[in-house]
Amino acid sequence: MLLDGDAWQAKFRDFQSEAWRLETLPVYTVPQEEDDIRAFIEGQRIDPHAYSNEYTDDLKRVRREGKTKGRVHVLSRPLSTYLQYEFMYYRPHAWAGEDIRILDVTDRENPLPDVQDFWMFDRREVVLMNYGADGTQISRELYEGDVAPFLEYQRIALSESVPFEEYVKGIDV
């Protein structure tokens, strides 16, 4: 079953304890971000101490409700321009309560080869994130099989990654 609109938004509204994401791409092509990425390339930066938006507000709500939201991004250096842009937002998102971790596979074998992006809700429900070669999202698909492999992917991703703040120490983001 493909998810879109309210059915997709409901996953984030209605999860009971945990929403978790595996990101594997160096670029996500999101039309709504084009102007912001262009500004980033031109040198504009956000102030992470002053940054707040609907997403950070929702992260704070999630935390107040005793829930968690997290992600692991699998990447290699050098960072793509998109990842540099995304890192600019990771800091205020982490400060607002998202557990963001980085699994850098630059100098080692990827422990999650061929695993596609996904969201997992309450460790019971998986949504496969389908992307084209350029990082354009094609669809979101509710996975209807056994979630055990995804629980193992999450375990591996968490054990092999480091917190975002630790990863970026000494890096200008």
Side-chain angles (χ1 to χ4, degrees):
M1 175 172 81
L2 297 181
L3 292 176
D4 210 356
D6 191 55
W8 175 237
Q9 293 306 315
K11 296 293 179 202
F12 295 94
R13 245 190 345 263
D14 301 340
F15 74 91
Q16 299 300 302
S17 61
E18 179 188 53
W20 189 83
R21 171 134 162 85
L22 181 70
E23 292 180 305
T24 64
L25 302 179
V27 174
Y28 293 91
T29 304
V30 181
Q32 302 90 311
E33 293 177 340
E34 285 178 11
D35 290 340
D36 290 341
I37 291 172
R38 192 172 306 108
F40 175 81
I41 291 168
E42 292 170 0
Q44 293 181 23
R45 300 297 183 266
I46 64 165
D47 176 354
H49 297 284
Y51 183 79
S52 181
N53 69 1
E54 189 176 308
Y55 189 74
T56 56
D57 292 345
D58 189 59
L59 287 168
K60 292 173 187 175
R61 175 196 60 82
V62 164
R63 181 154 250 180
R64 277 193 312 273
E65 293 175 359
K67 302 175 188 180
T68 63
K69 192 171 187 181
R71 74 181 65 222
V72 171
H73 201 134
V74 180
L75 56 80
S76 61
R77 295 181 311 270
L79 297 178
S80 67
T81 300
Y82 183 84
L83 284 175
Q84 293 172 40
Y85 161 78
E86 190 172 57
F87 272 28
M88 179 175 65
Y89 290 96
Y90 275 178
R91 181 163 279 141
H93 293 172
W95 291 345
E98 185 171 2
D99 178 24
I100 301 171
R101 301 178 65 86
I102 304 298
L103 198 168
D104 189 328
V105 296
T106 302
D107 297 319
R108 66 184 209 162
E109 193 171 320
N110 184 346
L112 297 169
D114 305 319
V115 177
Q116 76 175 86
D117 284 38
F118 67 90
W119 274 98
M120 184 165 43
F121 299 94
D122 299 322
R123 302 175 55 83
R124 292 189 318 259
E125 206 169 38
V126 171
V127 177
L128 301 174
M129 306 296 289
N130 300 310
Y131 292 93
D134 69 347
T136 300
Q137 188 175 85
I138 298 168
S139 65
R140 295 179 286 266
E141 178 183 355
L142 186 61
Y143 179 75
E144 297 185 19
D146 180 10
V147 300
F150 295 92
L151 293 169
E152 181 63 6
Y153 300 151
Q154 181 188 40
R155 185 197 66 74
I156 292 167
L158 291 172
S159 69
E160 298 284 334
S161 61
V162 297
F164 173 74
E165 290 287 347
E166 180 180 326
Y167 183 77
V168 297
K169 280 184 183 166
I171 297 175
D172 184 28
V173 293

